Amino acid sequence: MQFETRTAESTILLGERLAQLLKPGAVVALYGELGSGKTTLIKGVARGLGVREPVRSPSFVIITEYAGRVPVYHIDLYRLNNAEEASAVGLESYLSSDGVCLIEWAERAESLLPAATIRIRLEVIAGGRRIEIEGLAPELMQELKQFG
Amino acid sequence: MLILGIETSCDETAAAVVEDGLSVRSSVVSSQLVHALYGGVVPELAARAHIRMIVPVVEQALREAGIDYAQVELIAVTHAPGLLGALLVGLPFAKGLSFSLNIPFVGVNHIEGHIFALRLEYPQLQPPYLGVVLSGGHTELLFVDDWCKYQELGATVDDACGEAFDKVAKLLGLPYPGGIEIERLALEGRPVIDFPVADAGGLDFSFSGLKTAVLYYLREHPDAHRPDVAASFQVAAVRQITKRVEQAVRQTGMKKVGVSGGVAANRYLRQQLQLLADRLGFELLIPRPQFCTDNAAMIAAAGYERFRRSGPSPFDLPAFARRSFAGSNQQ
């Protein structure tokens, strides 16, 4: 399903709504170039999951943990090259936890992602962002769609 | 007192020997050793690299200081914030060493280490001063009330300052690490593009919008003169920093500003901060580059002061990936 957002605020809003549909253990993989809005969308998801503090880019530390209504793991594989390096920083233990994993640059560790991964592709388009979400159960997709 | 400092919070495995918290006897950073020991590049991020490097790096630091394990009197180690898997190499190593040598150890906050880099360069420096930490992972404005007593005045709400340099370098097709590449390219260009100077509110920083502005500009102007883009980006990034420092100096009335972290090596930033210092009449203090970038000497210096004030850390001291910096006051 595709969404188009015009502003960072509306990207955050979409993230907040998506958060309502995520269950403990969910893995959300984000794909998109630098500046395509991955961290912005995650700010919204984290807020929707009850995280109160500011969500900062985890590029440097790779994994940041927040306390929401479930543990929220904001993971950024930007500085890693492949699944082996992601494994070396302990990615799998986060993927199999009861928290929600939000993974930027997920393509760097594609082979480690579970089958039920929700995939989000972000793209810069004229006047905003195109955000494509797949992997949500059909009834949840329907719910998200209603938010329009 | 001879202090062994150990730092494994991110990419670098580092160890240093510092005497009485002020005098650096040795300071070893793994990237200097990698080639010599392994004849190639190890995956720099893997915690496994820390595991491989920690013993050779510590022993090299002892050797360069001309001492052996038995002469170490205190171990200082970074326990927060950073990559958890990386912190969990240095911290248990330090605890084990402390136990086996029967000497105390003390946990240090990495950002506090950056503050003590100032003291290594300027041993006479006395707080209070305004601390500015600018690196690939941190952007902090701190009121340093006393050694080991800080108040966070502002921090980034999204990307760290050095991260913005690295990511914009990537957009410009420059190699990593991007800070130095941007600085070099900017010298060939002119800041003719008006990138926005973010206002995150109060004394906070924001660099994510600037990154996006550069992205948009490059999309709309595929033939843009790259040196001009680099120069314009650098001006906007540095202007945000000088603006916040100016605000903070005016608010606190501080007469001394200490800047550390890897970005402090940027010459344009130093130049602009010096102009600001001359205009507002404060003293600008910036340590030499090897104290600015991640190192263990600053951790040893901070650990010494912590130990002097509140004794050793308990053996159950945990590692934290993230920690509110102000929280370290209660440590």
Side-chain angles (χ1 to χ4, degrees):
Chain A
M1 185 180 350
Q2 270 189 16
F3 297 85
E4 285 182 14
T5 58
R6 300 266 155 240
T7 61
E9 285 69 34
S10 52
T11 302
I12 289 175
L13 206 60
L14 177 66
E16 281 189 57
R17 285 163 175 177
L18 174 64
Q20 307 312 320
L21 310 176
L22 297 177
K23 303 206 166 39
V27 175
V28 182
L30 293 95
Y31 308 81
E33 286 310 299
L34 278 176
S36 59
K38 298 182 294 300
T39 308
T40 305
L41 186 70
I42 286 176
K43 274 178 186 277
V45 176
R47 194 186 291 174
L49 288 170
V51 174
R52 295 267 164 269
E53 57 196 303
V55 168
R56 295 174 178 148
S57 165
S59 292
F60 196 68
V61 295
I62 308 185
I63 298 165
T64 311
E65 181 179 345
Y66 296 95
R69 57 180 163 80
V70 292
V72 177
Y73 303 108
H74 184 184
I75 300 166
D76 187 343
L77 305 180
Y78 178 69
R79 301 197 309 134
L80 304 188
N81 299 305
N82 51 48
E84 194 199 340
E85 287 181 24
S87 194
V89 301
L91 180 64
E92 287 117 315
S93 57
Y94 293 93
L95 295 176
S96 57
S97 76
D98 287 333
V100 169
C101 287
L102 309 166
I103 310 172
E104 301 192 40
W105 299 93
E107 61 269 39
R108 308 267 161 100
E110 197 60 50
S111 62
L112 300 180
L113 301 180
T117 297
I118 297 161
R119 291 185 162 77
I120 304 183
R121 293 186 170 77
L122 298 97
E123 195 188 339
V124 180
I125 53 169
R129 300 288 186 280
R130 179 177 297 131
I131 300 169
E132 197 185 327
I133 303 177
E134 59 180 64
L136 265 181
E139 67 276 13
L140 295 180
M141 273 300 187
Q142 210 49 44
E143 232 176 285
L144 189 62
K145 205 169 203 166
Q146 279 158 17
F147 289 124
Chain B
M1 176 182 245
L2 288 174
I3 308 115
L4 171 65
I6 295 173
E7 151 70 34
T8 65
S9 72
C10 203
D11 295 356
E12 311 283 11
T13 316
V17 175
V18 174
E19 197 168 349
D20 299 329
L22 291 174
S23 159
V24 180
R25 295 270 298 262
S26 69
S27 180
V28 177
V29 178
S30 61
S31 47
Q32 303 159 349
L33 279 185
V34 165
H35 291 282
L37 286 177
Y38 296 101
V41 179
V42 294
E44 59 171 342
L45 288 160
R48 285 181 204 150
H50 285 300
I51 293 172
R52 278 199 298 268
M53 297 305 295
I54 189 141
V55 171
V57 166
V58 165
E59 293 189 345
Q60 173 103 356
L62 295 175
R63 214 162 32 242
E64 285 182 14
I67 64 167
D68 56 41
Y69 282 112
Q71 288 164 276
V72 177
E73 291 161 274
L74 173 70
I75 300 167
V77 61
T78 309
H79 77 108
L83 174 62
L84 202 57
L87 292 165
L88 286 175
V89 175
L91 181 60
F93 181 85
K95 287 176 180 175
L97 206 52
S98 157
F99 187 76
S100 65
L101 297 172
N102 198 22
I103 55 170
F105 90 97
V106 64
V108 172
N109 181 300
H110 179 79
I111 298 167
E112 178 169 45
H114 279 300
I115 288 171
F116 275 85
L118 264 298
R119 197 184 201 184
L120 288 175
E121 187 67 64
Y122 307 98
Q124 307 304 319
L125 173 64
Q126 286 300 327
Y129 72 92
L130 184 72
V132 188
V133 177
L134 304 168
S135 71
H138 309 285
T139 308
E140 301 265 350
L141 206 48
L142 301 153
F143 176 63
V144 182
D145 193 17
D146 188 5
W147 297 118
C148 302
K149 206 164 159 230
Y150 323 96
Q151 194 188 329
E152 186 183 279
L153 302 174
T156 183
V157 298
D158 41 52
D159 297 0
C161 172
E163 177 183 348
F165 273 83
D166 282 336
K167 289 191 169 168
V168 166
K170 176 101 180 178
L171 292 175
L172 288 168
L174 299 170
Y176 181 90
I180 189 142
E181 297 288 335
I182 296 249
E183 184 177 354
R184 195 184 44 72
L185 190 62
L187 287 175
E188 300 162 23
R190 288 176 308 132
V192 290
I193 309 153
D194 208 9
F195 289 127
V197 177
D199 184 0
L203 291 170
D204 281 338
F205 298 85
S206 166
F207 290 99
S208 173
L210 177 55
K211 173 186 71 189
T212 308
V214 173
L215 172 77
Y216 280 164
Y217 187 86
L218 290 172
R219 281 185 162 240
E220 284 156 28
H221 307 84
D223 300 324
H225 187 53
R226 307 255 145 170
D228 287 352
V229 179
S232 307
F233 159 77
Q234 185 169 256
V235 163
V238 167
R239 191 165 291 158
Q240 186 182 173
I241 296 164
T242 54
K243 267 187 156 178
R244 294 301 160 265
V245 171
E246 173 166 6
Q247 267 173 279
V249 166
R250 289 188 190 279
Q251 274 178 32
T252 59
M254 284 293 106
K255 291 286 171 212
K256 285 174 280 193
V257 176
V259 187
S260 52
V263 182
N266 181 290
R267 269 176 300 231
Y268 178 71
L269 172 70
R270 295 170 92 114
Q271 198 182 78
Q272 292 303 306
L273 283 170
Q274 191 56 57
L275 289 174
L276 182 69
D278 296 343
R279 182 155 64 80
L280 298 185
F282 64 78
E283 189 186 354
L284 179 67
L285 306 164
I286 305 181
R288 73 194 73 170
Q290 58 266 45
F291 292 159
C292 275
T293 49
D294 285 356
N295 66 85
M298 67 185 197
I299 302 301
Y304 171 76
E305 193 61 35
R306 280 242 164 245
F307 180 73
R308 230 173 48 82
R309 288 171 184 244
S310 37
S313 294
F315 271 112
D316 62 358
L317 179 77
F320 290 103
R322 194 168 47 96
R323 177 171 201 173
S324 117
F325 183 56
S328 67
N329 287 338
Q330 280 89 50
Q331 195 181 327

